[in-house]
Amino acid sequence: MTSAPPPRPERSPAQVYRQSLWLLTSRDLKVRYATSFLGYLWSVLDPLVMAIIYWFVFTQVVDRTIGADPYIVFLLAGLLPWMWFNGAVGDATRAFIKDAKLVRSTRIPRTVWVTRIVLSKGIEFVAALPVIVVFAIIFGAELTAGVVWLPVAVALQAVLTVGLGLIIAPLVVFFRDLERAVKLILRFLFYASPIIYGLSDLPGGLDVWASFNPLAGIISLYRASFFPDQLDARAVLIAAVMSLVILGLGVLVFRRMERAVLKEV
């Protein structure tokens, strides 16, 4: 007689969450690039083309008085994080609508449907970072001790984006026009964030108000790797507080609306 195999140990909620998150994230990445000839390069081309356009306009067409040299590295240090933020927040508007059947039929934590978007876009962001290194070498930008702030910037941006996603995703289920409104807000936010310019380029007093945009402090952390003078401690502190507050608010909103969302999708 053969003995029965030992029962599988029960997985903890944290293990279930991690496994579900990675399964859905890897599925997103595979589906996104399965039929793409260029694959990974698409995560690089969009911010790279934008950076080259802005670099050409502000260095070859008009006299630039903003940013820092080399300007192409300055631009990429702001554009790459923006692409992560823009892509994740934009896709969060369809987090429940796109996979409505799976959301209803599976028992995995529903927040996974938002966090997997942030994670997949974050992986694309990390995969695009070598582009900055290449241009830094070409244009002679030196890596400074400010690179130690890079993990902090990634963590803060992930917290901020997940928080916004948890607020936006359930609301769009009930207010479909919010999807278009988010796109318009993101367009405005691009120019209201220090991406093509720095906080120090703003006229007196305006930089204080701009610091209340959490992306301002986060982008200054990214730029500190090559431009330590761009690091703004006040903006970073505000970004940290606001990111945590938005995450807390996002969790609260999501919990209040989760049951209603499952009935609606």
Side-chain angles (χ1 to χ4, degrees), residues 166-178:
L166 291 176
I167 296 172
I168 293 169
L171 288 176
V172 172
V173 174
F174 301 99
F175 308 102
R176 297 300 175 92
D177 287 342
L178 185 58

Side-chain angles (χ1 to χ4, degrees), residues 80-246:
L80 289 179
W82 168 257
M83 298 304 295
W84 175 16
F85 178 82
N86 182 68
V89 172
D91 285 0
T93 60
R94 301 182 296 276
F96 296 127
I97 299 171
K98 182 180 178 182
D99 295 306
K101 291 183 179 179
L102 286 175
V103 172
R104 288 195 305 266
S105 61
T106 57
R107 297 180 61 85
I108 60 177
R110 269 74 189 195
T111 55
V112 169
W113 297 99
V114 174
T115 54
R116 54 103 182 187
I117 293 174
V118 179
L119 181 57
S120 64
K121 293 295 183 181
I123 291 173
E124 290 182 346
F125 162 73
V126 172
L129 287 179
V131 174
I132 297 182
V133 176
V134 171
F135 277 90
I137 294 172
I138 294 174
F139 287 90
E142 296 183 1
L143 192 66
T144 71
V147 72
V148 299
W149 295 110
L150 182 59
V152 179
V154 173
L156 280 181
Q157 184 166 349
V159 168
L160 172 65
T161 312
V162 169
L164 288 173
L166 291 176
I167 296 172
I168 293 169
L171 288 176
V172 172
V173 174
F174 301 99
F175 308 102
R176 297 300 175 92
D177 287 342
L178 185 58
E179 182 177 350
R180 293 180 179 271
V182 168
K183 291 181 179 179
L184 292 176
I185 293 170
L186 286 172
R187 288 183 185 178
F188 167 79
L189 194 58
F190 174 82
Y191 293 102
S193 302
I195 297 172
I196 61 177
Y197 57 88
L199 278 176
S200 58
D201 297 316
L202 296 174
L206 191 57
D207 60 326
V208 176
W209 291 105
S211 298
F212 285 91
N213 172 0
L215 287 176
I218 292 172
I219 291 174
S220 78
L221 284 171
Y222 284 116
R223 285 188 170 139
S225 296
F226 296 102
F227 312 98
D229 59 320
Q230 293 292 320
L231 183 62
D232 190 308
R234 177 184 57 201
V236 171
L237 180 60
I238 292 173
V241 172
M242 290 188 67
S243 297
L244 291 173
V245 169
I246 290 172

